[in-house]
Amino acid sequence: MELTIQKTSNPKPKPDQTKLGFGTHFTDYMLNMDYTQDLGWHNTRIEPYAPFALNPATMVLHYGQGIFEGMKAYRRGDGNVQLFRPRDNFNRLNYSARKLCMPKVDVDHVMQALKQLLQVEKEWVPGVAGTSLYIRPTMIATDPFLGVRASFTYRFFIILSPVGAYYAEGFNPIKIMVTREHVRAVRGGVGDTKTMGNYAASLLAGQKAHDAGYTQVLWLDGVEQKYVEEVGSMNIFFVINNELITPSLSGSILPGITRDSVLKLARQWDMPAVERKIAIDEVIAAQKEGTLTEIFGSGTAAVISPVGQLRYEDQVVTIGQGEVGPIAQRLYDAITDIQYSRSDDPMGWIEPVA
Ligand SMILES: Cc1ncc(COP(=O)(O)O)c(C=O)c1O
């Protein structure tokens, strides 16, 4: 593989691993790669992390033709570094690319390039319990042009950010608010991709939920505003009558890799797990009948995020006395044990780096 590495003369001091937070520290290097119609993807290079200059007419800045991914590198107890299902992230990037009229990347090529970047940046992978190195592959449309069409040129880059333990003080069930005023995604739209505009579109509802004292928004479908879709930027699970239920992938839901891992583990454990439409009314009714025992979100950032309280219009319902449920806990432990190699990896989800 052709890949050039330009060394930095200015390595940064590493931040305190006990105060990392999320997304504020960036490592010394980044990966860049360019696309033109003539050359395809070319000039894959590892360079010092630095701002890049963009023509003010650059298309991504105007029409949002941009996509990204989010995954992590984990430091194991023996010091080695590894990834969790990274090919699934690049395959999802390619799915997003197709829907946004952007060029696909070669998964083997970007995997190798990412591994080399991580080799160079190995020292940046934190080792304190629960920390990791967040990986943000991004693709943007770079033609300097103000007409609305797909760009002819693109930049792909990967930046890395050491991030703190999500649950520094243990699991804290979150409070979520159902919105009927806003929708995250529509039928036939791009809700099943990681495109930038989806996140911009979610901000106002998120702000309103926050102002009302809730951590996240629970999104309903964009057509009838009846069926549950996602929670904040996580997929959602319910435990009703001891059955694990998650909304089926309708085209407007992001197919989360953690969601898929939860379903695969549950099936391996012979736990009943179904993907189907689930109406918010069914959730409220199950809570009233006492059959709803757990709700939790799933995603790369928190892995599993238990929900303790849910507000829908004038009703506020508490789930499982506001404590972490046994299924959420078991899934969290099982997934994080695989990610840090504290347990075996029977599904083959781990990809070693260095
Ligand atoms: C909108 C949305 N839904 C769900 C997820 C969870 O996906 P994953 O488990 O792949 O992180 C994410 C995070 O990537 C997201 O942004």
Side-chain angles (χ1 to χ4, degrees), residues 38-347:
D38 290 349
L39 297 176
W41 286 111
H42 62 280
N43 196 10
T44 311
R45 58 208 186 271
I46 292 171
E47 294 174 311
Y49 183 98
F52 39 64
L54 290 176
N55 185 314
T58 300
M59 291 185 81
V60 67
L61 302 177
H62 299 270
Y63 307 120
Q65 198 193 8
I67 55 176
F68 63 95
E69 269 305 323
M71 60 176 131
K72 287 173 168 176
Y74 305 87
R75 188 176 287 284
R76 305 157 33 143
D78 65 5
N80 289 343
V81 170
Q82 60 192 24
L83 295 156
F84 181 73
R85 307 187 64 177
R87 285 171 189 276
D88 293 290
N89 287 92
F90 287 124
N91 285 327
R92 187 169 66 187
L93 182 87
N94 278 340
Y95 178 78
S96 298
R98 191 173 67 79
K99 283 194 83 171
L100 273 290
C101 294
M102 303 173 85
K104 284 186 175 180
V105 296
D106 182 291
V107 174
D108 287 331
H109 178 74
V110 289
M111 268 306 305
Q112 263 187 294
L114 170 62
K115 283 188 183 177
Q116 289 219 23
L117 177 66
L118 289 170
Q119 301 261 9
V120 172
E121 296 285 56
K122 195 177 169 198
E123 296 305 312
W124 279 91
V125 183
V128 165
T131 60
S132 54
L133 186 70
Y134 185 77
I135 301 166
R136 173 53 62 88
T138 308
M139 192 195 298
I140 56 172
T142 48
D143 280 7
F145 178 61
L146 290 186
V148 178
R149 59 153 170 79
S151 181
F152 299 137
T153 61
Y154 297 88
R155 163 72 58 91
F156 172 82
F157 59 89
I158 302 180
I159 56 174
L160 307 172
S161 173
V163 298
Y166 203 88
Y167 294 113
E169 282 124 38
F171 261 161
N172 273 329
I174 57 168
K175 291 163 68 179
I176 62 174
M177 184 168 144
V178 183
T179 179
R180 295 200 65 195
E181 201 181 344
H182 304 280
V183 294
R184 178 187 164 273
V186 295
R187 188 156 68 194
V190 290
D192 58 348
T193 72
K194 271 185 97 70
T195 189
M196 299 167 177
N198 285 340
Y199 298 82
S202 75
L203 297 177
L204 182 59
Q207 238 171 41
K208 287 182 182 173
H210 210 259
D211 292 347
Y214 290 82
T215 332
Q216 304 267 355
V217 173
L218 189 134
W219 302 101
L220 300 180
D221 74 277
V223 179
E224 295 175 78
Q225 289 179 275
K226 191 172 158 189
Y227 298 100
V228 175
E229 297 225 311
E230 301 198 49
V231 57
S233 48
M234 292 184 288
N235 295 110
I236 190 160
F237 286 84
F238 303 90
V239 180
I240 300 178
N241 282 323
N242 297 315
E243 183 181 58
L244 194 56
I245 304 164
T246 193
S248 33
L249 298 175
S250 57
S252 48
I253 294 173
L254 191 83
I257 291 156
T258 321
R259 173 189 181 279
D260 185 69
S261 308
V262 165
L263 288 171
K264 291 201 163 101
L265 283 173
R267 285 167 189 157
Q268 195 197 32
W269 296 338
D270 289 327
M271 185 184 284
V274 292
E275 298 168 78
R276 66 164 168 88
K277 277 184 157 190
I278 176 159
I280 185 66
D281 289 341
E282 179 185 342
V283 174
I284 302 287
Q287 195 274 344
K288 295 210 164 116
E289 286 160 14
T291 52
L292 169 72
T293 45
E294 293 187 43
I295 304 181
F296 55 87
S298 70
T300 296
V303 185
I304 297 293
S305 194
V307 173
Q309 198 188 90
L310 180 151
R311 176 166 148 198
Y312 177 48
E313 317 235 280
D314 298 334
Q315 309 182 69
V316 176
V317 299
T318 301
I319 300 101
Q321 284 86 46
E323 281 164 17
V324 183
I327 295 177
Q329 185 73 55
R330 184 175 178 197
L331 286 161
Y332 176 81
D333 292 343
I335 295 173
T336 53
D337 281 353
I338 295 172
Q339 288 170 337
Y340 290 93
S341 279
R342 291 186 296 254
S343 68
D344 292 344
D345 172 30
M347 312 277 196

